[in-house]
Amino acid sequence: MINFGEILQTLDMIDQQHLDVRTITMGISLRDCGDPDPKKCCDKIYDKITRCAGNLVKTGEEIEREFGIPIVNKRISVTPIAIACEACETDDYVQFAKVLDRAAAETGVNFIGGFSALVHKGFTAGDRRLIAAIPRALSETERVCASVNVATTRAGINMDAVAEMGRTVKRAAELTADEGGMACAKLVVFANAVEDNPFMAGAFHGAGEPECEINVGVSGPGVVYNALKKCRGEPFDVVAETIKKTAFKVTRMGELVAREASQRLNVPFGIVDLSLAPTPARGDSVAAILEEMGLESVGAYGTTAALALLNDAVKKGGVMASSHVGGLSGAFIPVSEDAGMIAAAEKGAITLEKLEAMTCVCSVGLDMIAVPGDTPAETIAAMIADEAAIGVINNKTTAVRIIPVPGKTVGDKVEFGGLLGSAPVMPVNACGSADFIARGGRIPAPLHSLRN
Amino acid sequence: MKAIVTVIGKDQIGIIAKVCTLLAENGVNVLDISQTVLQDYFTMVMLVDLGKCEMSFTELAGILDEDGKNIGMSIRIQREDIFEAMHRI
C-alpha cells in the first residue's frame, strides 16, 4: 500500500498548493465539414462538435470526483476554420465563429479554439477572410478563441501577416472597448505554432492530427513553489533536482487522467502538455517560483536564468512520466494571470523588454500584457515581429497575446475576470516602427532551416 | 476497484467505529488502516475495496462527504490509482 505520508502529500498538493489538471482538451477534425453552402457547413460543424464532445464535460467531472483531482477546464480545439471552411462560398466568416460558440455552449466547455489560420508563408483566400473576421468574431462570441501562425523556422516570417495582425489586434480591442479590449485576450499570434496544444487561447487541431483526440494540460506552479521552499539556500543542482521530482509527480497524475479520459470517451490519447500555467490565485504563481530561487522580484537580473532552469527541469522531470509529451510544454509567463507578475509590473520591476528576453527560454511569449490604448498598430506588429524572430531563430514556439486597452494608459489597470485576471497597463517604447512594418514581404527562413 | 479513504478532523471518541460502520453499511471492505493524532487532529488513511459496493463511486463519495460533515470530519474517497501514479514508477 502507498504509505501514509505519500497520501497526505498528494492531498496537501491538491488542497493547499493548487495542484490540478488545468485542461482536458478534445481535438476535433472539421476537415469533413466543408460545403459550398455556408448554412450546411455550419450545421455540419455544429453536429460534429456536439456529437464528439457531447460527453466531454460529464466525463471530466466524473474523473474529477473519482480521483479527487480538480480538472479546471474542459475545452475543445478544432481544425483551423480557414482550412475547414475554405470551400464555403461566403465572405462572412463570423458565422463560423458563432456556430463554434453555440456548439461550445451546448457541450458546456468554457472555450473552443481553432478560429485560426496558418499563414507563415502566405495567405489563401480563406485565410484572408478569416483574419478579416477575427475582430468581430471575438467581440460577438463568448467562448471562441482565435490564433494566427505568422512564422515558422522552415518558412521564415510573413511580414504582411505580421502587419495585418497588428491592425487586427487594434481592431479587436476597439470593438470590445467597454470590456477593456477583452477580445485580444482570446487572440494569439504565433510563430512555430504547435498542432496539439491543449491550452487556450492558442489551441487548434492541426492538419496532422487524427479525427478526434484527447490532450491534457497539467499545471502546478504552487506545488513547485512549495517544494522549493524546502530547499532554500541550497545550490542550483538541488533546485533542479527538486523541480524534476515534482514535475514527475504532477505529470504522472496528468497522464493518468489523460488515459482515463481517453478510454472513457473512446477517443485516442494524444499528448500531455507539461506546462506550468499560473492562475491569479495566491500561491499559484510562476513568478513566485522565480522569486523563491532568490530574486527580490521577478524582473530582477537573474530572472531569465532562473526561468531557463525552471523550464528545463520541468521538461526533464515530466518527459519520463508520460509516454507522449507535446503541446507547448514549458512555463507560461502571462502577466495578468499571475499574481507575482502583476505585482512586479505594478512596481515597475518587470518591463516588456525583460518579458521579451524571458520568452527566449520558456513557453510561449508576450502573454496577456496590457499596453496603452493609443499604441500604434505598427508598434504592435513590430512586437509580433520580434517575438516571431525569437521563435524562428531558436526553433521554438513564441506568441504574442497583447491588449492595447482602449482609453487606458500607463498607471491604469484593467480587469478581465476569472482565470484571465487583471493587468496593469505597461509602458511601451514610444519610438515608431511604422516604416519597418510598411515594407511587407517575407523575412527569409534562417540558415538552420535547411537541414536536409 | 480499490480506493483510498482519508478521514481528517478534530479528534473525538468513536471516529473509527463510525467510519467503519458507515463503510460496512455501504458494502465497502476495509483492507488496511493507518491512523495517527497530530496536535489534536485525527488523521486516518484506509485502503478499501469497492468490489461489493453497489452504488456508483459518485454516490458513495457524496454519502461519505455528507456523513463526515455530520460528525465534523472531512471524509474523502479517491481511487487508489492516483496515488500509485504519483508515487510509484
Side-chain angles (χ1 to χ4, degrees):
Chain A
M1 178 180 165
I2 300 293
N3 75 42
F4 201 67
E6 290 167 334
I7 288 170
L8 295 184
Q9 184 193 43
T10 297
L11 294 185
D12 201 38
M13 283 180 177
I14 295 168
D15 293 344
Q16 310 297 327
Q17 302 166 18
H18 307 281
L19 174 65
D20 54 44
V21 169
R22 188 52 48 87
T23 180
I24 294 186
T25 304
M26 178 180 272
I28 303 171
S29 167
L30 298 183
R31 277 154 61 181
D32 54 353
C33 295
D35 196 290
D37 177 355
K39 169 81 175 61
K40 280 188 191 158
C41 183
C42 285
D43 289 346
K44 285 184 190 174
I45 289 173
Y46 182 84
D47 290 346
K48 183 153 190 192
I49 294 173
T50 51
R51 187 176 71 243
C52 293
N55 286 328
L56 176 63
V57 172
K58 184 170 144 273
T59 305
E61 287 169 353
E62 279 169 12
I63 295 173
E64 212 171 342
R65 279 194 295 269
E66 289 183 24
F67 291 109
I69 177 90
I71 300 171
V72 182
N73 300 298
K74 293 92 186 167
R75 293 169 168 173
I76 296 170
S77 64
V78 296
T79 306
I81 289 296
I83 297 172
C85 301
E86 188 135 36
C88 264
E89 290 162 353
T90 177
D91 286 337
D92 171 24
Y93 274 34
V94 175
Q95 60 185 314
F96 302 127
K98 288 186 173 167
V99 77
L100 292 178
D101 205 36
R102 274 197 292 122
E106 173 62 26
T107 54
V109 298
N110 58 358
F111 280 119
I112 183 164
F115 197 75
S116 306
L118 310 175
V119 297
H120 35 274
K121 201 140 180 202
F123 303 91
T124 65
D127 293 332
R128 286 194 188 281
R129 289 194 286 259
L130 181 120
I131 293 172
I134 285 176
R136 263 191 64 210
L138 296 183
S139 58
E140 293 175 24
T141 60
E142 189 190 340
R143 304 172 198 229
V144 175
C145 293
S147 56
V148 176
N149 193 57
V150 298
T152 66
T153 297
R154 282 283 183 167
I157 307 172
N158 179 350
M159 290 299 289
D160 293 322
V162 166
E164 188 60 39
M165 290 317 294
R167 292 188 287 270
T168 304
V169 168
K170 284 286 282 186
R171 182 88 188 111
E174 284 156 13
L175 289 184
T176 46
D178 50 351
E179 298 167 84
M182 177 69 180
C184 298
K186 300 182 283 181
L187 172 58
V188 185
V189 186
F190 273 118
N192 289 327
V194 292
E195 301 200 327
D196 51 7
N197 164 26
F199 286 101
M200 295 296 167
F204 63 86
H205 188 71
E209 301 294 305
E211 183 69 13
C212 186
E213 70 179 340
I214 287 291
N215 297 318
V216 163
V218 299
S219 191
V223 183
V224 174
Y225 168 68
N226 276 281
L228 286 189
K229 276 209 294 199
K230 292 181 189 129
C231 50
R232 204 164 274 177
E234 300 277 354
F236 282 111
D237 318 61
V238 179
V239 173
E241 276 303 304
T242 306
I243 297 171
K244 273 160 62 180
K245 284 180 190 158
T246 311
F248 178 83
K249 288 180 185 171
V250 170
T251 311
R252 289 272 287 185
M253 183 271 300
E255 167 97 359
L256 176 71
V257 167
R259 293 208 169 273
E260 191 71 26
S262 136
Q263 191 196 344
R264 289 188 192 194
L265 290 161
N266 198 21
V267 167
F269 157 58
I271 54 96
V272 173
D273 186 322
L274 310 174
S275 287
L276 288 183
T279 67
R282 279 261 157 239
D284 203 21
S285 158
V286 169
I289 299 174
L290 306 179
E291 289 166 4
E292 182 54 41
M293 285 191 213
L295 302 168
E296 183 184 335
S297 167
V298 65
Y301 296 109
T303 299
T304 310
L307 184 57
L309 180 152
L310 171 66
N311 203 57
D312 185 60
V314 166
K315 285 186 215 166
K316 283 174 177 163
V319 154
M320 196 185 145
S322 172
S323 45
H324 296 285
V325 171
L328 296 168
S329 284
F332 295 166
I333 49 168
V335 173
S336 77
E337 299 171 8
D338 186 317
M341 288 285 181
I342 295 169
E346 279 174 343
K347 64 184 174 199
I350 198 156
T351 59
L352 273 171
E353 286 68 27
K354 188 65 179 176
L355 284 163
E356 183 183 321
M358 290 162 73
T359 65
C360 300
V361 298
C362 82
S363 148
V364 287
L366 295 176
D367 198 10
M368 288 304 287
I369 297 170
V371 295
D374 59 2
T375 308
E378 292 83 3
T379 299
I380 291 172
M383 288 176 192
I384 295 170
D386 283 345
E387 271 304 311
I390 290 171
V392 164
I393 298 296
N394 294 303
N395 237 321
K396 72 184 286 295
T397 305
T398 48
V400 173
R401 182 164 52 146
I402 201 160
I403 305 117
V405 189
K408 302 259 181 178
T409 189
V410 178
D412 293 338
K413 199 166 178 179
V414 57
E415 293 282 343
F416 298 112
L419 281 178
L420 295 172
S422 65
V425 176
M426 293 175 72
V428 167
N429 188 325
C431 298
S433 316
D435 291 346
F436 176 78
I437 292 301
R439 284 175 182 270
R442 288 193 282 149
I443 293 181
L447 187 58
H448 58 238
S449 73
L450 305 172
R451 291 185 163 191
N452 298 337
Chain B
M1 186 204 300
K2 286 185 185 166
I4 300 284
V5 174
T6 44
V7 184
I8 300 175
K10 205 159 169 44
D11 195 21
Q12 54 184 281
I13 293 170
I15 300 174
I16 299 181
K18 282 176 192 159
V19 175
C20 287
T21 308
L22 181 59
L23 293 174
E25 281 168 355
N26 291 294
V28 179
N29 189 27
V30 177
L31 302 176
D32 198 354
I33 298 183
S34 227
Q35 180 256 309
T36 186
V37 177
L38 267 177
Q39 291 165 345
D40 281 350
Y41 262 80
F42 174 94
T43 308
M44 175 164 67
V45 174
M46 309 168 100
L47 176 66
V48 300
D49 182 22
L50 304 181
K52 295 205 172 124
C53 177
E54 284 173 0
M55 67 184 72
S56 75
F57 195 99
T58 305
E59 282 175 282
L60 178 63
I63 288 176
L64 293 180
D65 183 51
E66 192 62 27
D67 287 22
K69 280 183 190 147
N70 291 340
I71 57 169
M73 308 292 289
S74 147
I75 308 183
R76 177 170 6 183
I77 184 163
Q78 291 163 277
R79 277 175 54 178
E80 189 199 15
D81 319 36
I82 185 132
F83 303 100
E84 283 282 344
M86 284 180 82
H87 299 285
R88 296 286 179 274
I89 296 178

